[in-house]
């Protein structure tokens, strides 16, 4: 292919020239470096022979050493992606000001759920999240499509991050603070005609851009495609192949301009909308309902699409913002990082260490022989070299010569094993820990396992928090598109699953319906301002599973949850039939349960009475004993000895027995001589022993 000038010369097209210059500026200001690094990160994630660069593989082949991959990046990243899949969230709105209210907010929330379902939003979110983890950046593309519905439908897709060049001089996460954004893609002439019209196709054909290489092959990065041929570069302007289709590099640029613009203003609500972004009917209705025209400085989006030398589209965008919504896994003022970036080093160390161990093992099978010259009689040295590691090898050598000696192979260095362990740990530290990947640890209790899993999830806090912010940006743009383009009477058929019955439930939702009685519109969603709410409740299936598991745990803990409630929280497809077959919401009463409860209550009351009786007897015995000791102090030492022999511990400082007052009579204590009723400390001081009747004794 022929090299031509860097800037367009074949057609005097200022817009194309400006677009191409801006494309080169963004490419030279970091995008080329990003292409190379992102492609490397993708190869490290995919593995399958891609983790070794061509230069590394050639060096290993030259040294006759193995090169193995021990891919630990993919399962780690997949664990993070799996966590996102099972924690998908829905979008909802709440009223903020103007003519908004809670009822309209609910209508909008249901409508956006249908939009998400029609364009497979949850699937696209996973793709964008994966792009961010693997290649640092992921992008939504949000716009209107009139292919399936002449009224227009909101469509949300994903972009290849290698095709998107954000404003290189910006440092904001929010694209509303960028100066411009470029999407470069490859389109055939038929695709150009489908998107931009027949005139655009003719201009592309007349541009003479086909088949030229514009000096961008040095980028060295191939665009992703199903083919494996590498005979054309990522940044070629156009490729013309005999066995393929002509494809033109399209420079799709959106930039902000600040101009005096005709607007419609609603004095009561304070809403302002650019008139050029509204249909004629909407403008007429707005003027009839009190809106007024006014000139105001407004920021608008200028949308210019070109090839290398030809302009295909140059108009103001019908949208208030760029169609691009970014996601950055880790973001630091214009610097983006993915999960794979910091895992490349440990993965390469792991591959090298494992390959080295395999090389030592392979070489140890036939490490070589030390043989005296002409001493081997049954084979040549070449045969010994090739067959020296065979099982059952017999070597015959001359009598009197030194026997052949096998060279001891090198042992695997201890440091290599430690290096493998360290690299494996480093990989988990920069991706996701083992607990999050489902690997069983030393923990045995459920609480310990849950605590470790919760701690492991903190590794994903930053990527998930940035994902929540991206959801906010996306929801705001969807809301603007709904209020701008869903301005006619529409009927939505909302199909939901009843969480109580499991049956599909249909609901007809009408918006912007004209009411002849009032002359207004029912469910007018085009006016009012709303706040975006990303529900903390996961998707319906995930949420139902969680609810069912919680109900099961509560039931195991003793909470009396009836069978009907358990069936309602389940995901059984025929749970409605099961519910109808149950006799009632409450399970049949078990006659033994109530009896066991009454028995338990009676036993509890009996234990309380017995404990009270023992306490009363103990107190009475203590009083009696104290009276006796007060009358006869000499018995205190004997009592202490008996208590100590029984294992009692004195917790008070002695002496605690007061001296008996003078003049007290000496009382002879009776002795228990009944062999049938021996004294027993096990039954208390008042049982099995006759005590002095000290009641009423006066000193």
């Amino acid at each position: 292919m022929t090299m031509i000038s860097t800037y367009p010369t074949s057609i005097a097209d200022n817009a194309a020239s400006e677009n191409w210059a801006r494309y080169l500026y963004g490419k030279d200001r970091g995008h080329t470096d990003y292409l190379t690094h992102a492609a490397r990160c993708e190869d490290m994630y995919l593995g399958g022979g891609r983790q070794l660069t061509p230069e590394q593989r050639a060096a290993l082949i030259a040294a006759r050493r193995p090169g193995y991959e021990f891919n630990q990046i993919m399962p780690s990243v997949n664990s993070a992606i799996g966590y996102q899949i099972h924690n998908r969230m829905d979008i909802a709105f709440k009223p903020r000001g103007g003519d908004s209210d809670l009822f309209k907010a609910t209508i909008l929330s249901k409508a956006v759920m249908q939009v998400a379902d029609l364009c497979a939003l949850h699937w696209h979110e996973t793709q964008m999240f994966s792009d961010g983890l693997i290649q640092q950046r992921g992008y939504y593309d949000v716009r209107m499509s009139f292919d399936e519905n002449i009224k227009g439908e909101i469509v949300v897709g994903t972009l290849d991050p290698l095709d998107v060049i954000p404003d290189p001089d910006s440092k904001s996460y929010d694209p509303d603070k960028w100066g411009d954004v470029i999407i470069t893609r490859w389109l055939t002439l038929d695709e150009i005609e489908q998107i931009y019209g027949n005139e655009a196709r003719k201009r592309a054909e007349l541009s003479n851009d086909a088949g030229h290489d514009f000096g961008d092959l040095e980028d060295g990065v191939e665009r992703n495609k199903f083919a494996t041929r590498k005979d054309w570069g990522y940044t070629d302007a156009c490729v013309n192949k005999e066995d393929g289709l002509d494809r033109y590099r399209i420079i799709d640029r959106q930039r902000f301009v600040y101009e005096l613009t005709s607007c419609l203003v609603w004095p009561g609500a304070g809403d302002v909308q650019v008139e050029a972004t509204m249909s004629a009917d909407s403008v007429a209705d707005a003027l009839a309902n009190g809106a007024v025209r006014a000139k105001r400085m407004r920021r608008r989006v200028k949308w210019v699409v070109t090839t290398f030398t030809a302009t295909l589209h140059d108009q103001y965008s019908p949208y208030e913002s760029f169609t691009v919504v970014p996601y950055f896994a880790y973001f630091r003022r214009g610097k983006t990082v993915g999960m794979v970036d910091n895992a490349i080093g440990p993965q390469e160390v792991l591959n090298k260490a494992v390959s080295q161990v395999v090389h030592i093992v392979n070489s140890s099978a036939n490490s070589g022989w030390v043989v005296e010259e002409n001493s081997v009689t049954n084979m040549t040295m070449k045969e010994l070299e090739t067959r020296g590691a065979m099982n059952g090898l017999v070597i015959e050598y001359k009598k009197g010569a030194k026997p052949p000696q096998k060279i001891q192979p090198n042992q695997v260095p201890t440091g290599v094993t430690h290096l493998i362990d360290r690299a494996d740990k480093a990989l988990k530290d920069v991706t996701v820990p083992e607990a999050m990947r489902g690997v069983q640890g030393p923990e045995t209790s459920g609480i310990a396992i849950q605590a470790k899993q919760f701690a492991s999830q903190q590794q994903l806090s930053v990527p998930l928090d940035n994902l929540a912010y991206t959801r906010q940006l996306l929801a705001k743009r969807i809301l603007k598109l709904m209020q701008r383009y869903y301005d006619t009477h529409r009927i939505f058929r909302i199909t939901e699953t009843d969480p109580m019955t499991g049956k599909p439930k249909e609901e007809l939702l009408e918006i912007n319906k004209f009411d002849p009685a009032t002359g207004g519109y029912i469910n007018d969603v085009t006016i009012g301002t709303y706040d975006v709410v990303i529900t903390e409740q996961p998707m319906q299936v995930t949420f139902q599973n969680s609810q069912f598991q919680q109900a099961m745990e509560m039931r195991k803990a003793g909470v009396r949850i009836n069978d009907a409630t358990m069936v309602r929280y389940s995901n059984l497809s025929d749970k409605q039939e099961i519910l109808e077959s149950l006799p009632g919401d409450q399970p049949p009463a078990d006659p033994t349960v109530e009896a066991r409860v009454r028995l338990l209550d009676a036993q509890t009351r009996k234990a309380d009475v017995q404990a009270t009786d023992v306490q009363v007897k103990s107190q009475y015995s203590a009083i009696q004993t104290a009276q006796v000791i007060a009358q006869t102090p000499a018995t205190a030492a004997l009592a202490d000895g008996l208590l100590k022999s029984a294992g009692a511990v004195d917790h008070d400082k002695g002496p605690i027995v007061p001296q008996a007052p003078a003049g007290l009579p000496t009382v002879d204590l009776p002795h228990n001589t009944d062999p049938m009723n021996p004294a027993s400390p096990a039954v208390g001081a008042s049982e099995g022993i006759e005590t002095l009747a000290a009641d009423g004794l006066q000193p």
Side-chain angles (χ1 to χ4, degrees), residues 51 58 68 97 118 124 137 169 191 213 260 269 294 319 365-366 402 404 506 547 566 598 643 658:
Q51 291 188 342
Y68 290 95
L118 291 176
H124 284 294
R137 306 171 185 178
D169 298 318
E191 291 172 330
D213 173 14
L260 188 64
Y319 315 125
N366 190 6
K402 294 182 179 179
E506 286 192 355
Q547 294 294 294
M566 297 301 300
R598 290 196 300 267
L643 289 174

Side-chain angles (χ1 to χ4, degrees), residues 42-332:
E42 187 175 53
D43 289 340
M44 294 298 295
Y45 167 76
L46 294 175
R50 299 177 180 89
Q51 291 188 342
L52 293 176
T53 64
E55 294 78 13
Q56 292 173 340
R57 192 170 297 279
L60 290 172
I61 294 174
R64 302 180 66 181
R65 289 175 173 268
Y68 290 95
E69 294 180 1
F70 204 71
N71 193 353
Q72 293 294 302
I73 294 180
M74 176 177 280
S76 297
V77 174
N78 286 349
S79 297
I81 297 173
Y83 183 85
Q84 182 273 331
I85 291 175
H86 292 287
N87 291 273
R88 292 166 170 168
M89 305 293 176
D90 290 325
I91 299 173
F93 302 103
K94 63 180 181 181
R96 185 178 65 182
D99 292 334
S100 61
D101 55 51
L102 184 59
F103 181 75
K104 291 180 182 178
T106 304
I107 296 295
L108 284 170
S109 300
K110 292 183 177 181
V112 78
M113 290 181 65
Q114 188 191 51
V115 170
D117 182 61
L118 291 176
C119 63
L121 177 59
H122 291 305
W123 184 87
H124 284 294
E125 180 181 271
T126 300
Q127 300 306 304
M128 182 201 61
F129 184 72
S130 303
D131 289 337
L133 294 181
I134 299 170
Q135 296 182 302
Q136 302 183 356
R137 306 171 185 178
Y139 297 97
Y140 277 128
D141 184 74
V142 189
R143 61 182 69 198
M144 295 296 299
S145 174
F146 298 88
D147 295 335
E148 304 295 333
N149 190 335
I150 61 174
K151 295 182 178 180
E153 296 286 349
I154 300 174
V155 293
V156 181
T158 52
L159 298 170
D160 188 340
L162 304 184
D163 293 340
V164 182
I165 306 178
D167 182 3
D169 298 318
S170 179
K171 60 178 181 180
S172 174
Y173 193 114
D174 189 352
D176 282 347
K177 298 180 181 179
W178 298 354
D180 67 349
V181 63
I182 291 177
I183 305 172
T184 176
R185 52 168 64 97
W186 293 80
L187 299 179
T188 64
L189 290 174
D190 292 318
E191 291 172 330
I192 292 175
E193 182 178 4
Q194 178 187 357
I195 300 174
Y196 305 107
N198 182 258
E199 291 297 324
R201 174 175 181 148
K202 293 179 180 179
R203 287 193 291 269
E205 288 181 303
L206 295 174
S207 66
N208 295 321
D209 291 343
H212 289 290
D213 173 14
F214 298 106
D216 294 335
L217 282 176
E218 68 270 11
D219 289 351
V221 180
E222 180 189 11
R223 65 182 289 271
N224 287 343
K225 56 186 181 297
F226 289 108
T228 58
R229 294 174 59 182
K230 300 181 179 181
D231 52 359
W232 54 298
Y234 174 83
T235 55
D236 296 346
C238 178
V239 174
N240 187 353
K241 296 296 179 185
E242 295 180 355
D243 56 348
L245 298 173
D246 292 347
R247 281 186 168 85
Y248 294 76
R249 172 174 290 283
I250 305 300
I251 308 299
D252 186 330
R253 184 188 179 204
Q254 303 173 52
R255 64 184 178 94
F256 283 121
V257 294
Y258 193 63
E259 300 175 343
L260 188 64
T261 309
S262 297
C263 302
L264 292 183
V265 180
W266 284 260
D271 296 338
V272 180
Q273 191 167 345
V274 178
E275 185 176 351
T277 63
M278 303 174 61
S279 64
D281 294 340
S282 297
V283 172
D285 291 338
L287 294 175
N289 286 277
V292 296
R293 285 190 172 96
K295 291 278 189 176
R296 300 194 63 178
M297 293 295 294
R298 299 283 293 180
R299 189 178 69 169
R300 303 181 66 182
V301 178
K302 193 69 175 297
W303 202 337
V304 182
V305 183
T306 65
T307 63
F308 181 62
T309 61
T311 300
L312 308 181
H313 178 82
D314 188 359
Q315 299 289 335
Y316 286 101
S317 173
Y319 315 125
E320 298 181 17
S321 303
F322 300 150
T323 60
V324 175
V325 180
Y327 168 70
F328 308 123
Y330 300 92
F331 182 83
R332 179 70 179 175

Side-chain angles (χ1 to χ4, degrees), residues 512-531:
N512 305 325
K513 182 180 180 181
F514 181 73
D515 187 5
T518 62
Y521 290 89
I522 302 175
N523 298 336
D524 187 359
V525 298
T526 62
I527 57 177
T529 56
Y530 301 86
D531 286 329

Side-chain angles (χ1 to χ4, degrees), residues 282-451:
S282 297
V283 172
D285 291 338
L287 294 175
N289 286 277
V292 296
R293 285 190 172 96
K295 291 278 189 176
R296 300 194 63 178
M297 293 295 294
R298 299 283 293 180
R299 189 178 69 169
R300 303 181 66 182
V301 178
K302 193 69 175 297
W303 202 337
V304 182
V305 183
T306 65
T307 63
F308 181 62
T309 61
T311 300
L312 308 181
H313 178 82
D314 188 359
Q315 299 289 335
Y316 286 101
S317 173
Y319 315 125
E320 298 181 17
S321 303
F322 300 150
T323 60
V324 175
V325 180
Y327 168 70
F328 308 123
Y330 300 92
F331 182 83
R332 179 70 179 175
R333 295 190 178 92
K335 304 296 183 181
T336 58
V337 179
M339 183 174 287
V340 176
D341 292 64
N342 293 321
I344 293 178
Q347 181 65 65
E348 290 181 336
V349 172
L350 182 62
N351 290 342
K352 290 180 180 179
V354 172
S355 298
Q356 180 67 18
V357 172
V358 174
H359 173 68
I360 294 175
V361 173
N362 291 339
S363 60
S364 64
N366 190 6
S367 56
W369 295 84
V370 177
V371 182
E372 185 177 336
E373 185 179 4
N374 297 324
S375 62
V376 178
T377 61
N378 64 334
M379 66 181 67
T380 63
M381 292 298 98
K382 186 66 175 178
E383 291 175 334
L384 180 62
E385 180 181 353
T386 57
R387 298 167 51 198
M390 294 177 59
N391 293 330
L393 178 68
V394 177
I395 301 177
E396 182 182 279
Y397 63 96
K398 292 181 180 179
K399 186 176 181 180
K402 294 182 179 179
Q405 295 181 356
K406 189 175 180 61
I407 300 175
Q408 293 299 318
N410 295 327
Q411 300 297 318
V412 178
T414 307
V416 175
T417 305
H418 294 322
L419 188 63
I420 292 175
D421 295 338
R422 184 66 185 92
D424 185 68
K425 183 179 182 303
L427 269 169
K428 296 178 175 62
D429 290 341
V430 299
T431 53
V432 294
E434 288 185 343
M436 196 168 178
R437 297 169 58 180
V439 178
Q440 182 66 41
E443 299 82 7
T444 56
S445 67
I447 296 178
I449 294 174
Q450 290 180 356

Side-chain angles (χ1 to χ4, degrees), residues 459-470:
Q459 191 83 357
L460 292 179
S461 295
V462 174
L464 292 178
D465 190 57
N466 289 342
L467 179 62
Y469 185 60
T470 296

Side-chain angles (χ1 to χ4, degrees), residues 8 40 120 346 348 473 549 684 688:
R40 178 60 175 159
E348 290 181 336
L473 297 177
Q549 292 298 326

